[in-house]
Amino acid sequence: MEIKIINQSVVYADCDAIVNAANEKLQNGGGVCGAIFAAAGAYELQRECDAIGYCKTGHAVMTNGYNLKAKHIIHAVGPRDQNPYDLKHAFYNALVIADSNNLKSIGMVPISAGIFGFPINQCASIAIKVITSFKPKSLSEVRIYCYSQNEYQVFLQEYEKYLKANS
């Protein structure tokens, strides 16, 4: 599986699905969540999320992508505290949903590292471990979209550390 770290907003991702760092009630929010809702079409996306109703921390659900290039949005709910177990499962369950729906590419984000305050270094370490250990059936490309330069540098360093340790 190919992994790319990209310094850009996930809303522009040309992938089969993008990941939204969602809240449990699947409501339009701030940060990456608000940007995704705005770009997708907030009214239509919120209606679909309201029909789903709820998503437990560490889990994920999928909706249509509406006005995005991505055909789907996978709403992964990361922890509001600094629980690494829940963050690991949020990343993992997003990958499982993409793979079980025969998607080829996914655009991920630093779940919980923004408004929810999860430390970016720990988030990057968990994300890289989960992504690199995932054994997909259909998924062939994971792109990690880092909006800020700092997120980008941290994820890039973590991925390079993984590559060195496994070469």
Side-chain angles (χ1 to χ4, degrees):
M1 184 166 63
E2 184 177 3
I3 299 169
K4 294 179 181 177
I5 315 292
I6 299 169
N7 189 196
Q8 181 182 2
S9 173
V10 74
V11 301
Y12 305 112
D14 191 7
C15 299
D16 293 334
I18 63 167
V19 173
N20 175 25
N23 55 66
E24 289 182 331
K25 293 182 179 179
L26 303 174
Q27 295 296 300
N28 188 350
V32 70
C33 181
I36 289 170
F37 268 77
Y43 177 77
E44 294 86 357
L45 180 54
Q46 190 61 67
R47 276 192 15 195
E48 187 173 0
C49 286
D50 288 346
I52 295 167
Y54 181 81
C55 183
K56 188 176 170 183
T57 300
H59 294 255
V61 296
M62 188 165 73
T63 63
N64 289 315
Y66 298 99
N67 299 328
L68 299 171
K69 289 180 183 177
K71 293 175 180 61
H72 306 281
I73 303 167
I74 298 173
H75 305 267
V77 181
R80 288 181 178 267
D81 56 14
Q82 294 181 12
N83 183 330
Y85 177 84
D86 285 340
L87 185 60
K88 174 184 170 185
H89 282 86
F91 279 109
Y92 177 77
N93 286 319
L95 292 168
V96 167
I97 287 177
D99 198 51
S100 64
N101 282 280
N102 296 314
L103 303 182
K104 304 284 184 232
S105 60
I106 185 171
M108 302 193 91
V109 296
I111 299 168
S112 288
I115 292 171
F116 287 4
F118 203 96
I120 188 65
N121 293 56
Q122 193 177 1
C123 174
S125 176
I126 290 168
I128 296 299
K129 285 176 187 164
V130 170
I131 294 165
T132 56
S133 65
F134 188 74
K135 305 295 183 223
K137 294 178 190 121
S138 69
L139 202 55
S140 59
E141 184 178 22
V142 175
R143 300 180 203 158
I144 303 169
Y145 285 84
C146 300
Y147 186 72
S148 76
Q149 185 65 29
N150 180 56
E151 288 175 343
Y152 175 71
Q153 290 301 325
V154 170
F155 269 81
L156 201 56
Q157 288 170 359
E158 193 63 37
Y159 186 49
E160 286 171 356
K161 188 177 2 172
Y162 165 81
L163 291 174
K164 283 179 187 174
N166 292 280
S167 61

